[in-house]
Amino acid sequence: MSYSRLLNFINGSPMANSSGEVFDVINPATGEVIYQVECADQAIKDAAIQSAKTGFRVWSAMTAMERARILHKAVVLLRERNDALAEIEVMDTGKPWQEAECVDVVTGADAIEYFASLAPTAVGQQQEVAGDFYYTRKEPLGICAGIGAWNYPLQIACWKSAPALAAGNAMIFKPSEETPKGATMLAEIFIEAGVPAGVFNVVHGAAEVGQWLTTHNEIEKVSFTGEVNTGMKVMQSAASNLKDVTMELGGKSPLLVFDDADISEAVSAAMLGNFYTQGEVCTNCTRVFVQRGVYQQFIEELVARTKNNVVAGDPMDPEVNLGALISAKHQQLVLDYIEKGKLEGASLLTGGHALSPQSAPNGYFVAPTIFADCQDDMTICREEIFGPVMSVLVFDDEQEVIERANNTQLGLAAGVMSQDLRRAHRVIHQLEAGICWINAYGASPAEMPVGGYKLSGIGRENGLEALNQYLQTKSIYVGMNKLESPF
Ligand code: NDP
């Protein structure tokens, strides 16, 4: 059987490799190969660097206003093609159409719009010093690498390229080999909008291609999204030429439900933070701590809504709100965690098994799973599962739950559900996490910086500060007095 082929995207157009090496991409909802992708061989890699160098020269010489105008055109194209792009994301990731249609492309476009608008605000400063003066310029870094995970492929490519390109850099992006199409579509859109060839290149392949990017001495920065252990390896390789790094890594985030919370809203937050994108979201609140007084009420509503309101099936069906996991291997990993949960004594309230929905019988589905009576030291409460598996724990008082919530090496996100506004702020200020929500969960607008504490990351994406992470400061001292010298 012959499949359509996706090529590397270099210097403004698709480029065929010489090695002939390809890999398959599988639709997680059907288990079928949907297309093949050419691996980046040495010729592709060399061309990517050369084209990024040329692209950088042209792009960085433009004014920020010129770059902004072009990026805004890309935003218009992304929004016009929302449905076609969302469908690609559903096919590659297995996530529900009802999410991709209103989140994945939209939030990617928002980030490009935000950073395009910010680009002209990147100004230096000047100061007089003893009759002389100095001024600073904000200059781009050069060629940046972006390496993405598979859960939000197009959105991740947008979130990384938006500040990089707005600041005048070129980027070579490697999507996850499981979901390579979205980033390639973005590359085409950039060209159509008028971004010069070579400014945004896409290289395909597995870890080896990522490693090449992280060690190449003409690449100045790596922005990485993925697992903690991979992030550590990336940072080690990036040290070879002291590359700047942004690391968006995993989490094991807590949601604290106090007895004064609106319990229905707390259940909504817990379900959003565990079952959205079938649980494959880095910020998920997989440890749900519920205060003893409302524990029973919370559990009853949670289980009832999970049993009644979750619809698994063909992710293109607009009624479906639980999609397939990314691969058979990942499905097995999630099922293995569920077994550990049972073995270690957690009470399984619902789910706990694979699903084979009628409309997508061969997909890699796992039923939404809730464990209660969980203990802090259980494997399911310590390790990131990245599937629809929620652990509910009971607590008695505020200080106790803060300590237990912080008792992890990870620190990506946290949430507090409480109607006592003093308590909500007091508690959230003590939680060791970079992305926090009060009476909300999961919302991540382009204006809000996101990133992790502790092992969950370094640097921030989105928000004002992210633009600066793609700029460096040049100081220029200007002598206004006769130059004195002892020589
Ligand atoms: P991985 O760490 O397995 O992979 C991430 C990317 O890195 C992929 O493109 C992968 O290539 C590539 N890669 C793998 N090994 C190396 C290496 N040695 N050097 C350079 N690149 C490499 O993560 P997943 O794709 O499994 O994504 C899931 C993880 O991502 C979860 O831990 C999740 O929490 C985290 N994540 C974090 C987010 C955040 O913003 N904090 C957001 C989304 C996800 P390939 O896969 O093609 O082999």
Side-chain angles (χ1 to χ4, degrees), residues 259 290-297 394-396:
D259 54 12
V290 184
Q291 202 157 13
R292 197 174 301 276
V294 289
Y295 187 76
Q296 211 45 47
Q297 185 191 349
V394 67
F395 74 93
D396 288 298

Side-chain angles (χ1 to χ4, degrees), residues 147-151 156 174-177 205-207 210-211 214 224-227 230 233-234 248-251 282 384 386 412:
I147 301 179
W150 41 255
N151 57 344
I156 291 174
K174 190 200 95 63
S176 163
E177 63 179 328
Q211 276 162 0
T214 59
F224 173 81
T225 297
E227 290 172 18
T230 322
K233 287 186 204 153
V234 166
E248 295 293 338
L249 310 176
C282 53
E384 186 181 44
F386 228 55
L412 190 60

